């Protein structure tokens, strides 16, 4: 419901997103004790389904925290104070890797990029060759602040090849929080040593769980680290990923397990295609209203666009108050300059409703637009969103 309790709100934000019916049903089931066979079975099923979604054979641990908890756990467990890492920064979320590393006394080399840019393989390779003692590269698959997608496959392969040339191992870590089950991601094929995700984005579940997938190399790095850690000591989780070391968020495990099963039933590639179509539709609409997107390489998780002379707070306010649609503002240096719209998990009907609300908002504000003219193309694009029906 919105503040006046009139109708239920639709979240077109890049996390949390509206949860699936399966997640919703699972949330009201009775609490299982986490040491019972019934719960261990659910958690094991969730781990297997997460592996199928990351496309990895690696063990994947479930943490009861938001996504940032997994980022911190990775930094605290894989890196030592004084280690040097490379972090391409393109917005608030990729910057978070650098911030966490600095807190842990890690020496961070930043590649500063403009909003909407993504790091290229050439940039990364050049930095690795210039600074020969870099131990790890911390990447952000989809920079949720700008909607920019990193070509993770090409970048990760470049890291692996450069490391081979330099004759040593460089660890590739990727924040896939807003790309898992949204954009194509193939952890093992793309040689990603460590990938993380969270429950409240592509998995269409409530916030509160985070996931860490580590290969053998990454697990060996944990053993090198002697800095103190307790709750997020990843050795405790990877000892047996189907038994959480502490009481997990039981209801959330049940909800994510149900939701991810549903996604996999629809087919991972169909889910990627549906999210891509939803995003294409949003991008078509905002361009028809005369706005330009930030991302050169558009992710399927979120479309961020410059609002120019138009007040983004007012656009978001009208969408919310008149139409029950919540979109996201810009953060930090982008505050007051952009809006962000996510179509993750949205059906044809929901996106057509968004189109109508967006058109009415533009008209209400007296802004010129050509939304009516793109409607036939919009309907055509949305065919791929039928999987949600
Ligand atoms: C949402 C998001 C996060 C932060 O996750 P929290 O769950 O809020 O801690 C980190 N990185 C990216 C890319 C995200 O989209």
């Amino acid at each position: 419901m919105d503040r006046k309790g009139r109708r239920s709100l639709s979240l077109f934000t890049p996390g949390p997103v509206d949860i699936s019916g399966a997640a919703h049903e699972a949330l009201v089931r009775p609490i299982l004790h986490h040491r019972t066979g019934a719960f261990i079975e659910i958690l094991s099923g969730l781990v297997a389904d997460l592996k199928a979604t990351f496309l990895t054979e690696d063990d994947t641990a479930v943490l009861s925290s938001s996504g940032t908890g997994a980022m911190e756990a990775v930094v605290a467990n894989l890196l030592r104070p004084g280690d040097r890492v490379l972090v391409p920064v393109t917005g608030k979320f990729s910057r978070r890797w650098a911030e966490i590393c600095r807190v842990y006394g890690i020496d961070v080399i930043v590649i500063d990029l403009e909003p909407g840019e993504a790091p290229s393989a050439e940039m990364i390779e050049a930095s690795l060759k210039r600074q020969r003692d870099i131990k790890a590269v911390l990447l952000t698959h989809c920079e949720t602040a700008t909607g920019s997608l990193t070509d993770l496959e090409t970048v990760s392969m470049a890291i692996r090849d450069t490391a081979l040339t330099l004759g040593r191992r460089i660890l590739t870590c990727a924040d896939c929080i807003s790309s898992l089950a949204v954009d194509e991601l193939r952890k093992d094929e793309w040689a990603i040593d460590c990938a993380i995700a969270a429950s409240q984005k592509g998995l269409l579940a409530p916030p509160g769980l985070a996931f860490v997938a580590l290969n053998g190399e990454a697990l060996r790095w944990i053993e090198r680290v002697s800095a103190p850690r307790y709750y997020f000591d990843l050795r405790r989780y990877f000892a047996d990923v189907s038994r959480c070391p502490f009481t997990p968020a039981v209801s959330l495990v049940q909800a994510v397990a149900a939701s991810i099963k549903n996604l996999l039933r629809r087919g991972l590639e169909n889910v990627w295609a549906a999210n891509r179509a939803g995003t294409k539709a949003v991008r078509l609409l905002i361009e028809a209203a005369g706005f330009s997107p930030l991302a050169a390489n558009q992710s399927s998780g979120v479309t961020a666009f410059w609002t120019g002379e138009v007040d983004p707070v007012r656009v978001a306010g009208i969408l919310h108050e008149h139409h029950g649609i919540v979109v996201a503002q810009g953060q930090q240096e982008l505050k007051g300059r952009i809006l962000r719209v996510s179509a993750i998990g949205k059906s044809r009907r929901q996106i057509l409703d968004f189109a109508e609300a967006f058109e009415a908002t533009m008209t209400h504000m007296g802004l010129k637009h050509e939304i009516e003219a793109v409607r036939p193309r919009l309907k055509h694009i949305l065919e791929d969103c039928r999987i949600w029906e």
Side-chain angles (χ1 to χ4, degrees), residues 14-15 65-69 71 93-94 96 140-145 175-178 198 200-201 207-208:
S65 81
S66 84
T68 308
M71 297 174 80
F93 293 97
S94 42
R96 190 168 294 171
T140 306
H141 193 192
C142 164
E143 169 52 79
T144 316
D175 169 351
C176 300
I177 294 179
S178 59
Q200 78 274 28
K201 301 193 181 179

Side-chain angles (χ1 to χ4, degrees), residues 347-362:
S347 67
R348 274 187 317 164
R349 183 69 261 154
Q350 289 170 307
I351 293 172
L352 290 172
D353 286 349
F354 173 82
E356 214 163 279
F358 190 62
E359 182 174 15
T361 303
M362 293 298 109

Side-chain angles (χ1 to χ4, degrees), residues 14-18 93 144 177-180 182 198-205 344:
V17 307
D18 292 323
F93 293 97
T144 316
I177 294 179
S178 59
S179 64
L180 184 77
V182 179
S199 51
Q200 78 274 28
K201 301 193 181 179
L203 300 183
L204 309 178
I344 293 174

